[in-house]
Amino acid sequence: MRAVEAQNYSAIMQTSTCFLITFLSCCILAAVGSCPKEFANLEESTIAHENIYTYSNVKPPNPTVGLLYPRESNTREVRSLDGIWNLLRSNASDPLQGIREKWYKQNIRATNHEITLMPVPASYNDVTVDQRLRDHVGTVWYERHFFVPSRWRKDRMRVWLRFGSIHYEAIVWINGQTTMRHSFGHLPFEVEISSYVNYGSENRITIMVDNRLNNRTIPQGQVVKQVNDNGFAYIQTYTFDFFNYAGIHRSVHLYTTPPTYISDVELKTQVSRNQIGRIDYRLWLGNAEVLNVKSTHVLVELLDKNGNVAAHQINRDIRNGTLLVPNVKPWWPYLMNPDPGYMYTLEFQLIAEGGTEAEPNNELLDAYRLPVGIRNLSWDKDGLFLNNKPLYLRGFGRHEDSDIRGKGLDNALLTRDFSLLRWVGANAYRTSHYPYSEESMQFADQHGIMIIDECASVNTDLFEPELLLNHMSYLEQLIHRDRNHASVIAWSIANEPRTKKKAAEAYFGALANYTRGIAQGRPLTAASNVDKPSECMMSQFLDIIGFNRYNAWYHNAGRTDMIVQPMYDEAKNWRDRYKKPVILFEYGGDTIEGYHTLPAFIWSEEYQTTLFSKHFRAFDRLRELKWFIGEFVWNFADFKTEQAFTRVGGNKKGVFTRNRQPKDAAHLLRKRYHALALKLDNASLPADLFDYIIDWN
């Protein structure tokens, strides 16, 4: 088992009874807002009702190893377990009934509880017409059966089970035996199940998924018990403004590796001024202790996108190396180069040498391929640079959200979204407010879309040591997952945390110090929403200053004459305070599609376009100062939120509707983004950018 939250596999198996008792206790206590302390001798004082902590006892999480994206090769097989699973909803008042009654020891149909057929991947909330399932707080149980061929045992293959994401916490059983536990939604985890499967026959996988959030989860929330018409109900409360979808959100894979295998790959790239590419790589090997290192080597080949060998080497140092690439084609963002998103394929073959020099008999132990974009990334106090060229980011905050499937992976929707990103002329987006699917990261690489990669810390508050440990662990798993993506240009450590509080200073100081040590050559940023830069206890620790501001919406609603100067002044205040590059991560206003008013009135499509246009004026003044490096609309598309009288069918700030059709503002934004690409990078304008009006000649 190789995810940080699912380490020490053998220890879990040996102490499963003890683990379950501890888990039950923690879950029960978490439901009422309490949890046992994991850290002794914490220094805590109260100043004006605010707890101030020290974090000397918080030890950095163990590094993640493994979790390579499942890819077939001549030594590996990959099978999908996506499809229709069985789902059982636990009683909200007794979420741990299934643990006590050992539902994992039998087919869940034998429990005589109602079973729902549920697609995977998908959020379970909106698939059915059952309100209880949509609003469920607590645990649900998933189950399906799968077949393992006998030849996998005959060929001595290792068998792995991998989840792209489950929200929020999961315990997994194979044939009634505990195999792993993982916390944190939106991140992958896996375990080797070779010793738990029945070869040549059917196997059962059972998963308990718990969607409850508390003060120490990432993100935070609280479960409260409220009186209703039938007695009482458990309500999940949270402060973030998107629906708390739950379930198996991304693909489930069964895959194999050989007995000795490549378990992990780390890449770092550079491009020299004479167009020589450089790839520094590091390999981790599973079961490497059986190798005769003197008679083992790694064959490294780099293939261009036409399948031609661009560079190769034989390396007898089987764990580290450098590959030089003559006449390299660098990775460029969309509209900064005629051939954006250029991706090579890098293949590693682990080979054991045999035979004689005259008659060699080499054995291929393992082969793994992955895409790689080769580029430089750097930053200073004035800007962010890719391949030594200054970047100006134009894009969106987004959500993984759609009708029926919720946050479930949908390749058709993913394709549509990237088609719209290119149509509108965007070159970047922030993964607000959690890591997006691995498939979307691959799309970003291929399309030349730059990513501000954000962890799931939203509205961070209370700043307890246990929270810091989870926050560190979340960022470590995120960075480990995405470190090899050319599209990732920065890590966002939080969105709108409560950084006015004095406790935030030590918390984010410790968090940023840890994250910078594992940042893989990327800057740190975050999105602040304090009223004054001097009030933010976090931004001093960042490399790039980010802020959210809703002028003419949450501030001075309806007053589009109060946008240009306030926006200019605030951005300049952030710069004057911290002397670092500045990005506006969120601006915008809700818009009901088809609602028109003249003159423009709040919530109308005319109001959204006017609000955007006024912001453009401020941005152009700021761009002239060089240190203002990006503008991100909130949001790419409308999305679902919790039920509230302030939200009519969800958040409507999207420039596209929830079913991905443009509002009027999308056409205005398209003109803006493509015009910026022409002005800054001499890109060609689309032929259909402007409609014909008159022959001005």
Side-chain angles (χ1 to χ4, degrees):
M1 181 159 27
R2 297 185 283 179
V4 167
E5 287 294 311
Q7 287 181 342
N8 301 321
Y9 170 73
S10 60
I12 288 178
M13 293 307 304
Q14 292 169 6
T15 61
S16 59
T17 302
C18 198
F19 158 72
L20 288 174
I21 293 171
T22 302
F23 176 72
L24 293 176
S25 301
C26 287
C27 286
I28 294 168
L29 289 166
V32 296
S34 178
C35 188
K37 293 283 186 180
E38 296 178 10
F39 301 93
N41 303 319
L42 292 176
E43 299 176 31
E44 179 179 332
S45 61
T46 302
I47 302 176
H49 305 290
E50 180 182 344
N51 290 331
I52 308 295
Y53 301 94
T54 61
Y55 303 103
S56 57
N57 287 336
V58 179
K59 296 181 179 180
N62 294 327
T64 301
V65 177
L67 287 171
L68 290 173
Y69 189 80
R71 302 181 190 279
E72 290 192 320
S73 71
N74 46 350
T75 61
R76 297 173 176 232
E77 292 185 44
V78 179
R79 294 188 175 186
S80 172
L81 295 184
D82 294 353
I84 303 299
W85 292 48
N86 293 325
L87 181 137
L88 188 161
R89 177 182 59 82
S90 301
N91 191 317
S93 63
D94 190 8
L96 301 176
Q97 177 186 1
I99 295 285
R100 291 196 315 275
E101 297 180 2
K102 300 182 180 180
W103 292 350
Y104 50 87
K105 290 288 189 181
Q106 59 186 329
N107 290 336
I108 60 173
R109 288 190 180 276
T111 65
N112 294 321
H113 291 277
E114 180 182 356
I115 301 299
T116 301
L117 297 179
M118 185 59 57
V120 169
S123 303
Y124 59 71
N125 307 81
D126 291 344
V127 173
T128 74
V129 296
D130 187 348
Q131 180 179 337
R132 296 172 303 169
L133 186 58
R134 183 196 66 193
D135 300 332
H136 180 61
V137 176
T139 60
V140 300
W141 291 70
Y142 283 86
E143 179 195 77
R144 72 156 291 168
H145 294 79
F146 62 95
F147 192 87
V148 177
S150 298
R151 63 179 173 80
W152 283 3
R153 178 168 55 187
K154 179 181 178 182
D155 295 341
R156 298 186 302 116
M157 304 301 289
R158 293 175 180 262
V159 183
W160 300 85
L161 178 63
R162 188 183 194 273
F163 297 88
S165 165
I166 294 180
H167 188 75
Y168 175 78
E169 185 165 15
I171 305 177
V172 181
W173 293 267
I174 299 295
N175 297 324
Q177 300 182 76
T178 310
T179 59
M180 61 178 156
R181 170 197 177 188
H182 185 261
S183 296
F184 307 148
H186 316 291
L187 289 170
F189 59 102
E190 66 180 14
V191 64
E192 183 181 1
I193 58 172
S194 304
S195 59
Y196 298 98
V197 295
N198 300 314
Y199 292 89
S201 62
E202 195 172 62
N203 296 266
R204 184 180 73 255
I205 177 173
T206 311
I207 310 169
M208 187 182 80
V209 179
D210 192 341
N211 69 350
R212 290 174 295 177
L213 305 176
N214 60 49
N215 290 337
R216 298 164 186 87
T217 57
I218 307 292
Q220 294 166 292
Q222 188 174 11
V223 176
V224 297
K225 185 177 179 180
Q226 294 184 352
V227 175
N228 69 2
D229 293 345
N230 299 314
F232 61 87
Y234 291 97
I235 308 296
Q236 175 72 71
T237 63
Y238 45 86
T239 60
F240 52 84
D241 189 31
F242 53 93
F243 193 81
N244 187 40
Y245 280 114
I248 304 177
H249 281 160
R250 297 173 190 157
S251 290
V252 184
H253 288 107
L254 194 69
Y255 75 94
T256 67
T257 64
T260 300
Y261 60 101
I262 299 168
S263 66
D264 209 351
V265 178
E266 177 185 285
L267 305 176
K268 295 180 181 178
T269 70
Q270 299 178 46
V271 179
S272 69
R273 294 190 181 277
N274 59 354
Q275 292 303 292
I276 300 294
R278 173 174 174 151
I279 303 173
D280 295 307
Y281 59 86
R282 184 180 178 192
L283 304 180
W284 285 259
L285 305 178
N287 198 33
E289 60 274 8
V290 304
L291 293 176
N292 183 345
V293 176
K294 293 183 179 180
S295 61
T296 307
H297 68 262
V298 175
L299 174 62
V300 185
E301 285 193 335
L302 185 73
L303 308 178
D304 65 20
K305 65 180 182 181
N306 295 318
N308 301 313
V309 177
H312 74 282
Q313 70 175 194
I314 294 175
N315 188 357
R316 294 193 177 278
D317 183 347
I318 59 176
R319 289 182 172 83
N320 297 276
T322 296
L323 185 68
L324 299 180
V325 188
N327 302 312
V328 68
K329 290 186 70 68
W331 187 92
W332 284 101
Y334 179 51
L335 297 178
M336 287 186 71
N337 184 274
D339 192 7
Y342 192 93
M343 299 296 292
Y344 291 91
T345 298
L346 184 61
E347 181 177 41
F348 298 98
Q349 294 186 27
L350 182 65
I351 296 173
E353 300 167 1
T356 64
E357 185 175 348
E359 296 184 12
N361 183 25
N362 294 343
E363 178 188 0
L364 176 63
L365 300 177
D366 193 18
Y368 186 79
R369 289 185 172 195
L370 73 163
V372 57
I374 303 174
R375 50 86 170 141
N376 290 334
L377 184 70
S378 61
W379 65 96
D380 61 22
K381 65 181 180 62
D382 294 320
L384 182 62
F385 307 89
L386 194 141
N387 299 333
N388 303 314
K389 188 170 183 178
L391 293 174
Y392 187 76
L393 308 178
R394 52 188 185 272
F396 300 92
R398 297 182 58 209
H399 269 299
E400 287 189 324
D401 172 276
S402 63
D403 195 22
I404 300 177
R405 62 193 60 78
K407 292 193 181 304
L409 174 65
D410 183 331
N411 287 317
L413 185 72
L414 193 60
T415 303
R416 173 71 175 185
D417 283 354
F418 274 85
S419 179
L420 290 173
L421 286 166
R422 290 171 67 92
W423 175 84
V424 83
N427 67 3
Y429 65 82
R430 179 172 59 125
T431 66
S432 44
H433 298 297
Y434 38 81
Y436 290 2
S437 70
E438 292 163 285
E439 292 77 9
S440 73
M441 305 304 291
Q442 295 161 13
F443 261 63
D445 287 340
Q446 295 161 2
H447 287 82
I449 302 298
M450 294 176 284
I451 302 297
I452 307 290
D453 210 352
E454 186 163 274
C455 82
S457 178
V458 192
N459 301 348
T460 315
D461 202 351
L462 302 181
F463 306 113
E464 294 177 297
E466 295 94 332
L467 179 68
L468 177 62
L469 177 62
N470 286 334
H471 204 158
M472 287 177 171
S473 186
Y474 201 111
L475 279 161
E476 191 279 332
Q477 291 184 45
L478 166 62
I479 292 170
H480 178 270
R481 190 196 76 165
D482 291 345
R483 62 190 176 186
N484 294 334
H485 287 286
S487 56
V488 176
I489 59 169
W491 310 112
S492 175
I493 63 175
N495 179 73
E496 297 186 354
R498 306 315 191 208
T499 55
K500 280 187 179 182
K501 295 185 175 182
K502 180 62 179 175
E505 185 169 21
Y507 181 94
F508 281 103
L511 181 68
N513 182 61
Y514 166 73
T515 308
R516 189 166 282 110
I518 60 169
Q520 298 287 324
R522 276 95 165 180
L524 305 186
T525 189
S528 177
N529 68 338
V530 298
D531 293 328
K532 298 177 183 178
S534 60
E535 296 175 338
C536 184
M537 298 290 106
M538 169 187 65
S539 293
Q540 60 186 301
F541 305 113
L542 305 177
D543 301 306
I544 297 173
I545 304 301
F547 72 103
N548 302 339
R549 186 63 66 226
Y550 290 88
N551 289 315
W553 192 255
Y554 298 126
H555 291 73
N556 303 311
R559 298 306 302 256
T560 56
D561 60 337
M562 297 182 181
I563 294 176
V564 180
Q565 196 60 43
M567 175 54 58
Y568 179 87
D569 290 342
E570 181 172 7
K572 200 165 182 305
N573 288 340
W574 283 103
R575 167 66 179 187
D576 292 344
R577 177 78 180 182
Y578 297 106
K579 308 299 183 186
K580 295 174 182 177
V582 177
I583 296 176
L584 180 66
F585 276 134
E586 293 184 22
Y587 74 96
D590 287 80
T591 303
I592 301 297
E593 59 174 306
Y595 174 47
H596 295 279
T597 60
L598 195 63
F601 199 79
I602 197 167
W603 287 88
S604 70
E605 298 212 35
E606 287 78 11
Y607 188 83
Q608 189 180 36
T609 56
T610 301
L611 184 150
F612 279 17
S613 180
K614 291 297 185 73
H615 278 86
F616 298 163
R617 288 183 179 272
F619 299 156
D620 282 351
R621 289 178 60 189
L622 289 165
R623 279 195 307 108
E624 294 176 358
L625 303 177
K626 305 303 181 184
W627 46 259
F628 185 77
I629 64 169
E631 54 189 75
F632 287 70
V633 173
W634 187 262
N635 192 283
F636 174 74
D638 295 344
F639 57 91
K640 185 170 181 173
T641 63
E642 68 174 343
Q643 296 189 68
F645 58 83
T646 56
R647 293 282 180 246
V648 182
N651 191 304
K652 300 295 186 181
K653 292 185 179 69
V655 302
F656 299 101
T657 63
R658 200 179 187 208
N659 65 346
R660 276 40 176 194
Q661 298 301 330
K663 301 177 187 176
D664 285 354
H667 297 279
L668 176 69
L669 194 66
R670 184 179 185 228
K671 294 178 174 65
R672 165 74 177 177
Y673 283 176
H674 279 286
L676 282 170
L678 171 64
K679 186 177 182 68
L680 299 177
D681 300 306
N682 200 33
S684 299
L685 294 178
D688 64 344
L689 188 63
F690 298 100
D691 292 327
Y692 180 85
I693 301 174
I694 192 172
D695 184 353
W696 293 102
N697 294 322

